[in-house]
Amino acid sequence: MDKKKDILSLDEFSVEQINEFLIQTESFAEILKRDIKKVPALRGKTIINLFFEPSTRTKVSFEIAAKRLSADLINFNTSSSSLRKGESEIDTIKTINSMENDLIIIRHSDSGYINYFAKNVPVPVVNAGDGKHEHPTQALLDLYTIYKNFTNLKDLKIAIIGDILNSRVARSDIKLFNKMGMDVKVVAPSMLMPEDFSSFKTKFANNIDEVISDADVLYMLRMQFERQERKFYPSIKEYNKFLSLDMARFNLMKKDAILMHPGPVNRGIEISGEVMDIETLNKDKIKINAQISNGVAVRMALLYYALS
Ligand code: NCD
């Protein structure tokens, strides 16, 4: 594989490289099924988890992935760090650079900040989500989850539904799914669409009912209230009417279709509590927990790529 220093966006990787990541993920997933879920692949390597924004699944997922590969992972707690004492972020970067480490995983609320950060550190940097911009490891775990369910990705019909405007997951997913030849349709109210949407070269609908019985993959997005500078939608009731997945709509999904969501889910907004509560009985169809499990194997593959 042609080697990149950082993993900032999957745009930089070819279709062949993405396919190779999927195949490698498969072998890391196999390790996770063993009794002893640990291999020495990254023994002696030090990884720093640097999260400037809240996270549960992504942060823990990277931590488990690093530990399964025998790396030492240090969680840098930004809320109790010297940033709170007035240290600038650039000086924090210098401080971290001065300590021996081999790779930095970073999440930040400013779109594009991580690209700047990566230019200023000598070690590989993995983007764990920057503002409304990119979330490459989420996109790869989403692709892997789809790949595990459908042998052929080409022309697979995928509908991405909800707050496209504020979602880095949507941006990274749309680009990756298009690259892999999938048939992507975005479903959102006009106020939750980015102005540069035409550059995504993707079909568009306003109402979930236009895609519900046709999509192979239904990908629901979280309403990103914390990133919405103003009220983008009249009411939750209105949102439920046109965009949410309730039991009646769930029952209209195609027989082999799957349901995905990057988490965390706002119950009753993008997906009803009723649908959320039947995942254990409907594992063939609802893949929200499968995405989380797959995330560990995908991140093992990416950390291994970046450090080997
Ligand atoms: C996503 C994120 O933080 O961008 N979550 C995640 O990484 N699992 C999506 C979201 O917060 O809506």
Short mmCIF file of all heavy atoms in Angstrom, two decimals, residues 117-180:
data_model
loop_
_atom_site.label_atom_id
_atom_site.label_comp_id
_atom_site.label_asym_id
_atom_site.label_seq_id
_atom_site.Cartn_x
_atom_site.Cartn_y
_atom_site.Cartn_z
N PHE A 117 -3.03 20.74 12.78
CA PHE A 117 -2.36 20.03 13.87
C PHE A 117 -1.38 19.00 13.29
O PHE A 117 -0.22 18.93 13.69
CB PHE A 117 -3.44 19.34 14.72
CG PHE A 117 -2.92 18.52 15.86
CD1 PHE A 117 -2.64 19.08 17.09
CD2 PHE A 117 -2.72 17.14 15.70
CE1 PHE A 117 -2.18 18.32 18.15
CE2 PHE A 117 -2.25 16.37 16.76
CZ PHE A 117 -1.98 16.97 17.98
N ALA A 118 -1.86 18.23 12.29
CA ALA A 118 -1.03 17.15 11.72
C ALA A 118 0.24 17.70 11.08
O ALA A 118 1.29 17.03 11.10
CB ALA A 118 -1.85 16.36 10.70
N LYS A 119 0.15 18.90 10.53
CA LYS A 119 1.34 19.51 9.90
C LYS A 119 2.38 19.87 10.95
O LYS A 119 3.55 20.07 10.64
CB LYS A 119 0.94 20.78 9.14
CG LYS A 119 0.21 20.49 7.86
CD LYS A 119 0.28 21.67 6.90
CE LYS A 119 -0.46 21.36 5.62
NZ LYS A 119 -1.91 21.63 5.73
N ASN A 120 1.95 20.02 12.20
CA ASN A 120 2.84 20.47 13.26
C ASN A 120 3.34 19.38 14.19
O ASN A 120 4.00 19.67 15.18
CB ASN A 120 2.17 21.57 14.08
CG ASN A 120 2.10 22.86 13.28
OD1 ASN A 120 3.10 23.55 13.12
ND2 ASN A 120 0.94 23.13 12.71
N VAL A 121 2.96 18.14 13.90
CA VAL A 121 3.50 17.05 14.72
C VAL A 121 4.20 16.04 13.81
O VAL A 121 3.73 15.76 12.71
CB VAL A 121 2.44 16.34 15.61
CG1 VAL A 121 1.82 17.27 16.62
CG2 VAL A 121 1.39 15.68 14.77
N PRO A 122 5.33 15.51 14.28
CA PRO A 122 6.11 14.60 13.44
C PRO A 122 5.49 13.20 13.32
O PRO A 122 5.78 12.47 12.39
CB PRO A 122 7.47 14.53 14.15
CG PRO A 122 7.18 14.89 15.57
CD PRO A 122 6.01 15.80 15.56
N VAL A 123 4.63 12.83 14.27
CA VAL A 123 4.10 11.45 14.27
C VAL A 123 2.77 11.38 13.51
O VAL A 123 2.14 12.41 13.27
CB VAL A 123 3.91 10.95 15.73
CG1 VAL A 123 5.23 10.91 16.47
CG2 VAL A 123 2.88 11.80 16.48
N PRO A 124 2.33 10.18 13.14
CA PRO A 124 1.03 10.04 12.46
C PRO A 124 -0.12 10.58 13.33
O PRO A 124 -0.11 10.42 14.55
CB PRO A 124 0.87 8.54 12.27
CG PRO A 124 2.23 7.97 12.38
CD PRO A 124 3.01 8.87 13.27
N VAL A 125 -1.07 11.20 12.66
CA VAL A 125 -2.24 11.75 13.33
C VAL A 125 -3.48 11.09 12.74
O VAL A 125 -3.60 10.97 11.52
CB VAL A 125 -2.30 13.28 13.14
CG1 VAL A 125 -3.63 13.86 13.61
CG2 VAL A 125 -1.13 13.95 13.87
N VAL A 126 -4.40 10.66 13.61
CA VAL A 126 -5.66 10.07 13.14
C VAL A 126 -6.80 11.01 13.55
O VAL A 126 -6.94 11.35 14.73
CB VAL A 126 -5.87 8.66 13.73
CG1 VAL A 126 -7.21 8.08 13.26
CG2 VAL A 126 -4.73 7.72 13.33
N ASN A 127 -7.59 11.40 12.57
CA ASN A 127 -8.72 12.29 12.81
C ASN A 127 -9.90 11.50 13.41
O ASN A 127 -10.45 10.62 12.76
CB ASN A 127 -9.14 12.93 11.48
CG ASN A 127 -10.29 13.91 11.62
OD1 ASN A 127 -10.86 14.05 12.70
ND2 ASN A 127 -10.63 14.58 10.52
N ALA A 128 -10.29 11.85 14.64
CA ALA A 128 -11.43 11.17 15.28
C ALA A 128 -12.67 12.06 15.22
O ALA A 128 -13.60 11.89 16.01
CB ALA A 128 -11.07 10.84 16.72
N GLY A 129 -12.69 13.00 14.27
CA GLY A 129 -13.84 13.90 14.10
C GLY A 129 -13.44 15.34 14.30
O GLY A 129 -12.97 15.70 15.38
N ASP A 130 -13.57 16.16 13.25
CA ASP A 130 -13.28 17.60 13.40
C ASP A 130 -14.47 18.43 12.94
O ASP A 130 -14.85 18.43 11.77
CB ASP A 130 -11.98 18.00 12.67
CG ASP A 130 -12.03 17.81 11.16
OD1 ASP A 130 -12.69 16.85 10.70
OD2 ASP A 130 -11.42 18.62 10.44
N GLY A 131 -15.09 19.12 13.88
CA GLY A 131 -16.22 20.01 13.59
C GLY A 131 -17.26 19.36 12.71
O GLY A 131 -17.70 18.24 12.97
N LYS A 132 -17.63 20.08 11.63
CA LYS A 132 -18.63 19.55 10.71
C LYS A 132 -17.94 18.95 9.48
O LYS A 132 -18.54 18.80 8.43
CB LYS A 132 -19.55 20.68 10.24
CG LYS A 132 -20.26 21.40 11.35
CD LYS A 132 -21.09 22.55 10.79
CE LYS A 132 -21.71 23.36 11.90
NZ LYS A 132 -22.52 24.48 11.39
N HIS A 133 -16.65 18.67 9.61
CA HIS A 133 -15.83 18.39 8.44
C HIS A 133 -15.70 16.91 8.08
O HIS A 133 -16.31 16.45 7.12
CB HIS A 133 -14.45 19.05 8.70
CG HIS A 133 -13.49 18.98 7.59
ND1 HIS A 133 -12.15 18.73 7.79
CD2 HIS A 133 -13.64 19.11 6.26
CE1 HIS A 133 -11.53 18.73 6.63
NE2 HIS A 133 -12.40 18.96 5.69
N GLU A 134 -14.94 16.15 8.88
CA GLU A 134 -14.64 14.76 8.51
C GLU A 134 -14.67 13.84 9.73
O GLU A 134 -14.36 14.28 10.85
CB GLU A 134 -13.22 14.67 7.92
CG GLU A 134 -13.08 15.22 6.50
CD GLU A 134 -13.39 14.19 5.43
OE1 GLU A 134 -13.85 13.08 5.74
OE2 GLU A 134 -13.18 14.52 4.25
N HIS A 135 -14.99 12.59 9.51
CA HIS A 135 -14.93 11.57 10.56
C HIS A 135 -14.56 10.26 9.85
O HIS A 135 -15.40 9.36 9.71
CB HIS A 135 -16.29 11.48 11.25
CG HIS A 135 -16.28 10.79 12.58
ND1 HIS A 135 -15.21 10.04 13.03
CD2 HIS A 135 -17.22 10.73 13.57
CE1 HIS A 135 -15.50 9.55 14.22
NE2 HIS A 135 -16.71 9.96 14.58
N PRO A 136 -13.30 10.16 9.38
CA PRO A 136 -12.94 9.04 8.50
C PRO A 136 -13.05 7.66 9.13
O PRO A 136 -13.44 6.71 8.44
CB PRO A 136 -11.48 9.35 8.12
CG PRO A 136 -10.97 10.30 9.14
CD PRO A 136 -12.17 11.09 9.58
N THR A 137 -12.77 7.52 10.42
CA THR A 137 -12.82 6.16 10.99
C THR A 137 -14.27 5.69 11.13
O THR A 137 -14.58 4.53 11.00
CB THR A 137 -12.06 6.05 12.34
OG1 THR A 137 -12.70 6.85 13.34
CG2 THR A 137 -10.61 6.50 12.19
N GLN A 138 -15.18 6.66 11.37
CA GLN A 138 -16.61 6.32 11.41
C GLN A 138 -17.06 5.87 10.01
O GLN A 138 -17.78 4.88 9.86
CB GLN A 138 -17.43 7.53 11.87
CG GLN A 138 -18.94 7.29 11.89
CD GLN A 138 -19.39 6.39 13.04
OE1 GLN A 138 -18.90 6.52 14.16
NE2 GLN A 138 -20.33 5.49 12.78
N ALA A 139 -16.60 6.59 8.98
CA ALA A 139 -17.01 6.25 7.61
C ALA A 139 -16.54 4.84 7.26
O ALA A 139 -17.28 4.05 6.67
CB ALA A 139 -16.46 7.27 6.62
N LEU A 140 -15.31 4.50 7.66
CA LEU A 140 -14.81 3.17 7.32
C LEU A 140 -15.54 2.07 8.10
O LEU A 140 -15.84 1.01 7.55
CB LEU A 140 -13.29 3.09 7.56
CG LEU A 140 -12.62 1.86 6.94
CD1 LEU A 140 -12.74 1.85 5.42
CD2 LEU A 140 -11.15 1.77 7.34
N LEU A 141 -15.89 2.35 9.35
CA LEU A 141 -16.63 1.32 10.10
C LEU A 141 -18.05 1.19 9.56
O LEU A 141 -18.62 0.09 9.55
CB LEU A 141 -16.60 1.59 11.62
CG LEU A 141 -17.51 2.61 12.28
CD1 LEU A 141 -18.87 2.03 12.61
CD2 LEU A 141 -16.87 3.13 13.54
N ASP A 142 -18.60 2.28 9.06
CA ASP A 142 -19.92 2.20 8.42
C ASP A 142 -19.84 1.36 7.15
O ASP A 142 -20.68 0.49 6.91
CB ASP A 142 -20.44 3.61 8.10
CG ASP A 142 -20.82 4.37 9.36
OD1 ASP A 142 -21.08 3.72 10.40
OD2 ASP A 142 -20.87 5.62 9.33
N LEU A 143 -18.81 1.63 6.36
CA LEU A 143 -18.64 0.86 5.12
C LEU A 143 -18.44 -0.62 5.44
O LEU A 143 -19.02 -1.49 4.79
CB LEU A 143 -17.44 1.40 4.32
CG LEU A 143 -17.26 0.73 2.96
CD1 LEU A 143 -18.34 1.18 1.98
CD2 LEU A 143 -15.88 1.02 2.37
N TYR A 144 -17.62 -0.89 6.45
CA TYR A 144 -17.35 -2.29 6.82
C TYR A 144 -18.65 -2.99 7.26
O TYR A 144 -18.90 -4.15 6.91
CB TYR A 144 -16.29 -2.34 7.92
CG TYR A 144 -15.96 -3.74 8.38
CD1 TYR A 144 -15.22 -4.60 7.57
CD2 TYR A 144 -16.41 -4.21 9.61
CE1 TYR A 144 -14.93 -5.89 7.98
CE2 TYR A 144 -16.12 -5.51 10.03
CZ TYR A 144 -15.38 -6.35 9.21
OH TYR A 144 -15.10 -7.63 9.61
N THR A 145 -19.48 -2.28 8.01
CA THR A 145 -20.75 -2.85 8.48
C THR A 145 -21.64 -3.20 7.27
O THR A 145 -22.28 -4.25 7.24
CB THR A 145 -21.46 -1.86 9.44
OG1 THR A 145 -20.55 -1.55 10.50
CG2 THR A 145 -22.74 -2.44 10.01
N ILE A 146 -21.64 -2.32 6.27
CA ILE A 146 -22.45 -2.58 5.07
C ILE A 146 -21.86 -3.76 4.30
O ILE A 146 -22.57 -4.67 3.87
CB ILE A 146 -22.51 -1.30 4.20
CG1 ILE A 146 -23.23 -0.18 4.97
CG2 ILE A 146 -23.23 -1.57 2.87
CD1 ILE A 146 -23.14 1.19 4.34
N TYR A 147 -20.54 -3.74 4.16
CA TYR A 147 -19.81 -4.80 3.44
C TYR A 147 -20.07 -6.19 4.06
O TYR A 147 -20.19 -7.18 3.37
CB TYR A 147 -18.34 -4.40 3.47
CG TYR A 147 -17.31 -5.43 3.14
CD1 TYR A 147 -17.00 -5.74 1.81
CD2 TYR A 147 -16.57 -6.06 4.15
CE1 TYR A 147 -16.00 -6.66 1.52
CE2 TYR A 147 -15.58 -6.97 3.86
CZ TYR A 147 -15.30 -7.27 2.55
OH TYR A 147 -14.33 -8.17 2.26
N LYS A 148 -20.19 -6.23 5.39
CA LYS A 148 -20.45 -7.50 6.08
C LYS A 148 -21.86 -8.03 5.76
O LYS A 148 -22.14 -9.21 5.94
CB LYS A 148 -20.36 -7.33 7.60
CG LYS A 148 -18.98 -7.09 8.13
CD LYS A 148 -18.10 -8.32 8.07
CE LYS A 148 -18.45 -9.33 9.13
NZ LYS A 148 -17.69 -10.58 8.91
N ASN A 149 -22.75 -7.14 5.37
CA ASN A 149 -24.14 -7.53 5.13
C ASN A 149 -24.51 -7.76 3.68
O ASN A 149 -25.50 -8.41 3.39
CB ASN A 149 -25.09 -6.50 5.72
CG ASN A 149 -25.19 -6.65 7.22
OD1 ASN A 149 -25.94 -7.46 7.71
ND2 ASN A 149 -24.34 -5.91 7.93
N PHE A 150 -23.73 -7.14 2.79
CA PHE A 150 -24.04 -7.26 1.36
C PHE A 150 -22.73 -7.60 0.67
O PHE A 150 -21.75 -6.86 0.83
CB PHE A 150 -24.57 -5.94 0.80
CG PHE A 150 -25.82 -5.45 1.47
CD1 PHE A 150 -25.74 -4.57 2.54
CD2 PHE A 150 -27.07 -5.85 1.04
CE1 PHE A 150 -26.88 -4.09 3.17
CE2 PHE A 150 -28.23 -5.39 1.66
CZ PHE A 150 -28.13 -4.51 2.73
N THR A 151 -22.67 -8.65 -0.07
CA THR A 151 -21.39 -8.99 -0.70
C THR A 151 -20.97 -7.94 -1.72
O THR A 151 -19.80 -7.61 -1.81
CB THR A 151 -21.48 -10.39 -1.37
OG1 THR A 151 -22.86 -10.69 -1.57
CG2 THR A 151 -20.81 -11.44 -0.54
N ASN A 152 -21.93 -7.41 -2.44
CA ASN A 152 -21.57 -6.46 -3.49
C ASN A 152 -21.98 -5.04 -3.11
O ASN A 152 -23.17 -4.76 -2.90
CB ASN A 152 -22.29 -6.91 -4.78
CG ASN A 152 -21.72 -6.22 -5.99
OD1 ASN A 152 -20.79 -5.41 -5.86
ND2 ASN A 152 -22.27 -6.53 -7.15
N LEU A 153 -21.00 -4.15 -3.02
CA LEU A 153 -21.31 -2.77 -2.62
C LEU A 153 -21.86 -1.95 -3.79
O LEU A 153 -22.61 -1.00 -3.60
CB LEU A 153 -20.04 -2.08 -2.09
CG LEU A 153 -19.45 -2.59 -0.78
CD1 LEU A 153 -18.14 -1.88 -0.46
CD2 LEU A 153 -20.44 -2.38 0.38
N LYS A 154 -21.46 -2.34 -4.98
CA LYS A 154 -21.80 -1.54 -6.16
C LYS A 154 -23.32 -1.43 -6.34
O LYS A 154 -24.03 -2.42 -6.24
CB LYS A 154 -21.13 -2.18 -7.39
CG LYS A 154 -21.19 -1.32 -8.58
CD LYS A 154 -19.92 -1.30 -9.41
CE LYS A 154 -20.05 -0.41 -10.62
NZ LYS A 154 -20.95 0.72 -10.52
N ASP A 155 -23.77 -0.20 -6.58
CA ASP A 155 -25.18 0.11 -6.83
C ASP A 155 -26.13 -0.17 -5.66
O ASP A 155 -27.35 -0.10 -5.82
CB ASP A 155 -25.70 -0.62 -8.09
CG ASP A 155 -24.96 -0.17 -9.33
OD1 ASP A 155 -24.57 1.02 -9.38
OD2 ASP A 155 -24.74 -1.00 -10.24
N LEU A 156 -25.56 -0.46 -4.50
CA LEU A 156 -26.38 -0.65 -3.31
C LEU A 156 -27.06 0.69 -2.98
O LEU A 156 -26.41 1.73 -3.01
CB LEU A 156 -25.44 -1.03 -2.17
CG LEU A 156 -25.96 -1.92 -1.06
CD1 LEU A 156 -26.48 -3.23 -1.62
CD2 LEU A 156 -24.81 -2.19 -0.09
N LYS A 157 -28.35 0.64 -2.68
CA LYS A 157 -29.09 1.89 -2.45
C LYS A 157 -29.02 2.30 -0.99
O LYS A 157 -29.55 1.61 -0.12
CB LYS A 157 -30.56 1.70 -2.84
CG LYS A 157 -30.74 1.58 -4.33
CD LYS A 157 -32.21 1.76 -4.69
CE LYS A 157 -32.40 1.61 -6.17
NZ LYS A 157 -33.24 0.48 -6.52
N ILE A 158 -28.38 3.42 -0.73
CA ILE A 158 -28.25 3.87 0.65
C ILE A 158 -28.87 5.26 0.82
O ILE A 158 -28.59 6.16 0.03
CB ILE A 158 -26.78 3.82 1.13
CG1 ILE A 158 -26.59 4.61 2.42
CG2 ILE A 158 -25.78 4.28 0.11
CD1 ILE A 158 -25.49 4.06 3.27
N ALA A 159 -29.74 5.38 1.81
CA ALA A 159 -30.37 6.68 2.11
C ALA A 159 -29.80 7.21 3.42
O ALA A 159 -29.80 6.50 4.43
CB ALA A 159 -31.88 6.50 2.22
N ILE A 160 -29.27 8.44 3.39
CA ILE A 160 -28.71 9.06 4.60
C ILE A 160 -29.69 10.17 5.01
O ILE A 160 -29.97 11.08 4.22
CB ILE A 160 -27.30 9.62 4.32
CG1 ILE A 160 -26.41 8.48 3.81
CG2 ILE A 160 -26.72 10.29 5.56
CD1 ILE A 160 -24.97 8.86 3.56
N ILE A 161 -30.22 10.03 6.23
CA ILE A 161 -31.39 10.82 6.60
C ILE A 161 -31.15 11.70 7.82
O ILE A 161 -30.72 11.21 8.87
CB ILE A 161 -32.57 9.87 6.89
CG1 ILE A 161 -32.85 9.02 5.64
CG2 ILE A 161 -33.83 10.63 7.31
CD1 ILE A 161 -33.53 7.73 5.91
N GLY A 162 -31.44 13.00 7.71
CA GLY A 162 -31.41 13.87 8.89
C GLY A 162 -30.58 15.13 8.72
O GLY A 162 -30.59 15.76 7.66
N ASP A 163 -29.86 15.45 9.80
CA ASP A 163 -29.13 16.72 9.89
C ASP A 163 -27.81 16.68 9.11
O ASP A 163 -26.73 16.57 9.68
CB ASP A 163 -28.88 17.00 11.38
CG ASP A 163 -28.20 18.33 11.63
OD1 ASP A 163 -27.93 19.05 10.65
OD2 ASP A 163 -27.95 18.64 12.81
N ILE A 164 -27.92 16.75 7.79
CA ILE A 164 -26.74 16.67 6.92
C ILE A 164 -25.83 17.88 7.16
O ILE A 164 -24.60 17.76 7.20
CB ILE A 164 -27.16 16.65 5.42
CG1 ILE A 164 -28.21 15.57 5.15
CG2 ILE A 164 -25.94 16.49 4.51
CD1 ILE A 164 -27.73 14.18 5.13
N LEU A 165 -26.45 19.03 7.33
CA LEU A 165 -25.71 20.29 7.45
C LEU A 165 -24.61 20.23 8.51
O LEU A 165 -23.50 20.69 8.30
CB LEU A 165 -26.70 21.42 7.80
CG LEU A 165 -26.11 22.80 8.05
CD1 LEU A 165 -25.51 23.37 6.77
CD2 LEU A 165 -27.17 23.75 8.60
N ASN A 166 -24.96 19.68 9.67
CA ASN A 166 -24.02 19.73 10.80
C ASN A 166 -23.24 18.43 11.01
O ASN A 166 -22.56 18.28 12.02
CB ASN A 166 -24.80 20.07 12.08
CG ASN A 166 -25.41 21.45 11.98
OD1 ASN A 166 -24.69 22.43 11.91
ND2 ASN A 166 -26.72 21.53 11.90
N SER A 167 -23.38 17.50 10.08
CA SER A 167 -22.82 16.16 10.33
C SER A 167 -21.54 15.87 9.57
O SER A 167 -21.52 15.76 8.35
CB SER A 167 -23.87 15.11 9.97
OG SER A 167 -23.31 13.83 10.07
N ARG A 168 -20.46 15.67 10.33
CA ARG A 168 -19.18 15.23 9.72
C ARG A 168 -19.30 13.78 9.26
O ARG A 168 -18.66 13.37 8.31
CB ARG A 168 -18.04 15.40 10.70
CG ARG A 168 -18.29 14.73 12.05
CD ARG A 168 -17.27 15.17 13.07
NE ARG A 168 -17.57 14.67 14.40
CZ ARG A 168 -17.29 15.33 15.52
NH1 ARG A 168 -16.73 16.52 15.46
NH2 ARG A 168 -17.56 14.83 16.69
N VAL A 169 -20.16 13.01 9.94
CA VAL A 169 -20.35 11.62 9.54
C VAL A 169 -20.95 11.59 8.13
O VAL A 169 -20.50 10.84 7.26
CB VAL A 169 -21.27 10.87 10.54
CG1 VAL A 169 -21.58 9.46 10.04
CG2 VAL A 169 -20.66 10.82 11.92
N ALA A 170 -21.97 12.43 7.90
CA ALA A 170 -22.62 12.45 6.59
C ALA A 170 -21.60 12.81 5.50
O ALA A 170 -21.53 12.16 4.46
CB ALA A 170 -23.78 13.44 6.59
N ARG A 171 -20.79 13.84 5.75
CA ARG A 171 -19.81 14.26 4.74
C ARG A 171 -18.85 13.12 4.39
O ARG A 171 -18.60 12.83 3.23
CB ARG A 171 -18.96 15.43 5.26
CG ARG A 171 -19.61 16.74 5.00
CD ARG A 171 -18.84 17.89 5.60
NE ARG A 171 -19.70 19.05 5.50
CZ ARG A 171 -19.73 19.84 4.44
NH1 ARG A 171 -18.90 19.67 3.44
NH2 ARG A 171 -20.59 20.85 4.38
N SER A 172 -18.30 12.49 5.44
CA SER A 172 -17.32 11.43 5.18
C SER A 172 -17.99 10.22 4.54
O SER A 172 -17.44 9.60 3.63
CB SER A 172 -16.62 11.02 6.48
OG SER A 172 -15.82 12.08 6.95
N ASP A 173 -19.19 9.88 5.01
CA ASP A 173 -19.90 8.72 4.46
C ASP A 173 -20.28 8.94 2.99
O ASP A 173 -20.05 8.06 2.16
CB ASP A 173 -21.18 8.45 5.26
CG ASP A 173 -20.93 7.59 6.50
OD1 ASP A 173 -19.76 7.25 6.76
OD2 ASP A 173 -21.90 7.26 7.21
N ILE A 174 -20.86 10.08 2.69
CA ILE A 174 -21.32 10.32 1.31
C ILE A 174 -20.15 10.17 0.33
O ILE A 174 -20.25 9.50 -0.69
CB ILE A 174 -21.97 11.73 1.17
CG1 ILE A 174 -23.28 11.79 1.96
CG2 ILE A 174 -22.22 12.08 -0.29
CD1 ILE A 174 -23.86 13.19 2.12
N LYS A 175 -19.02 10.79 0.69
CA LYS A 175 -17.86 10.73 -0.22
C LYS A 175 -17.36 9.30 -0.37
O LYS A 175 -17.06 8.85 -1.47
CB LYS A 175 -16.74 11.65 0.30
CG LYS A 175 -17.09 13.13 0.11
CD LYS A 175 -15.91 14.02 0.41
CE LYS A 175 -15.61 14.03 1.89
NZ LYS A 175 -14.37 14.75 2.21
N LEU A 176 -17.28 8.58 0.75
CA LEU A 176 -16.76 7.22 0.69
C LEU A 176 -17.72 6.29 -0.07
O LEU A 176 -17.30 5.51 -0.93
CB LEU A 176 -16.52 6.68 2.11
CG LEU A 176 -15.95 5.27 2.18
CD1 LEU A 176 -14.56 5.18 1.55
CD2 LEU A 176 -15.87 4.77 3.63
N PHE A 177 -19.02 6.40 0.22
CA PHE A 177 -19.99 5.51 -0.43
C PHE A 177 -20.03 5.78 -1.95
O PHE A 177 -20.12 4.85 -2.75
CB PHE A 177 -21.39 5.68 0.18
CG PHE A 177 -21.47 5.31 1.65
CD1 PHE A 177 -22.54 5.75 2.43
CD2 PHE A 177 -20.50 4.53 2.25
CE1 PHE A 177 -22.63 5.42 3.78
CE2 PHE A 177 -20.57 4.19 3.60
CZ PHE A 177 -21.63 4.64 4.36
N ASN A 178 -19.95 7.06 -2.32
CA ASN A 178 -19.90 7.39 -3.75
C ASN A 178 -18.67 6.79 -4.40
O ASN A 178 -18.73 6.21 -5.48
CB ASN A 178 -19.87 8.91 -3.97
CG ASN A 178 -21.27 9.51 -3.99
OD1 ASN A 178 -22.23 8.84 -4.38
ND2 ASN A 178 -21.40 10.74 -3.56
N LYS A 179 -17.55 6.92 -3.71
CA LYS A 179 -16.29 6.39 -4.23
C LYS A 179 -16.38 4.89 -4.48
O LYS A 179 -15.81 4.37 -5.44
CB LYS A 179 -15.19 6.69 -3.21
CG LYS A 179 -13.82 6.20 -3.57
CD LYS A 179 -12.87 6.44 -2.41
CE LYS A 179 -11.75 7.29 -2.85
NZ LYS A 179 -10.90 7.90 -1.92
N MET A 180 -17.13 4.18 -3.61
CA MET A 180 -17.23 2.73 -3.74
C MET A 180 -18.35 2.31 -4.71
O MET A 180 -18.70 1.13 -4.80
CB MET A 180 -17.48 2.09 -2.36
CG MET A 180 -16.42 2.39 -1.32
SD MET A 180 -14.71 2.17 -1.85
CE MET A 180 -14.54 0.39 -1.78
#
